[in-house]
């Protein structure tokens, strides 16, 4: 299975931006649908965004629509999450995940590989 490593998290003020990256190992990255999820302390894991294998099919969680953009570069085996207009409620550990479903899925059960997570903290 593909191995995933997130980077790009950190501390940012409300209204600021961050870009997360998810680097994948292996030569079959383009065959995986990919996604971002997040989990805040004491809360359940939440779907953030997903993208199909070709990059042309995306979906977003309601709380991030219009502020976050998911993308991927299959030549670099990397997925990105551009996060703008960040809010304190975006504070969480963000995980990237790979799905054997080629399209974009918001169901965590479709995802077979997960990264270790990267912390995003938004101060008010």
């Amino acid at each position: 299975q593909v191995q995933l490593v997130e980077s790009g998290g950190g501390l940012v003020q409300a209204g600021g931006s961050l870009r997360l990256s998810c680097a994948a190992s292996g030569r079959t990255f383009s065959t995986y649908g990919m996604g971002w999820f997040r989990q805040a302390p004491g809360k359940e894991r939440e779907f953030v965004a997903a993208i199909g294998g070709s990059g042309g099919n995306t979906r977003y969680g309601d709380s991030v629509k219009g502020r976050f953009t998911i993308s991927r570069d299959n030549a670099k085996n990397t997925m990105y999450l551009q996060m703008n207009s960040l809010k304190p409620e975006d504070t969480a550990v963000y995980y990237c995940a790979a799905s054997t479903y080629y399209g974009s899925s918001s169901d965590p059960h479709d995802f077979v590989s997960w990264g270790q997570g990267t912390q995003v903290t938004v101060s008010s």
Side-chain angles (χ1 to χ4, degrees), residues 50-117:
I51 188 167
S54 68
N57 184 4
T58 60
R59 64 175 66 195
Y60 296 91
D62 289 341
S63 62
V64 306
K65 282 180 182 176
R67 299 188 298 123
F68 290 11
T69 302
I70 189 171
S71 62
R72 65 190 295 163
D73 185 339
N74 287 341
K76 295 182 178 179
N77 279 14
T78 303
M79 175 180 65
Y80 305 97
L81 184 69
Q82 178 66 43
M83 306 186 294
N84 297 330
S85 302
L86 283 161
K87 305 175 181 180
E89 50 263 45
D90 293 318
T91 295
V93 177
Y94 284 70
Y95 299 91
C96 69
S99 169
T100 54
Y101 175 57
Y102 187 69
S104 64
S105 173
S106 60
D107 185 347
H109 296 98
D110 287 336
F111 293 83
V112 296
S113 294
W114 294 80
Q116 293 299 306

Side-chain angles (χ1 to χ4, degrees), residues 23-71:
S25 64
R27 297 175 292 177
T28 60
F29 177 69
S30 63
T31 67
Y32 289 88
M34 298 292 295
W36 289 98
F37 293 79
R38 67 187 183 186
Q39 188 164 21
K43 294 188 177 181
E44 294 186 353
R45 182 173 49 191
E46 177 186 10
F47 168 72
V48 175
I51 188 167
S54 68
N57 184 4
T58 60
R59 64 175 66 195
Y60 296 91
D62 289 341
S63 62
V64 306
K65 282 180 182 176
R67 299 188 298 123
F68 290 11
T69 302
I70 189 171
S71 62

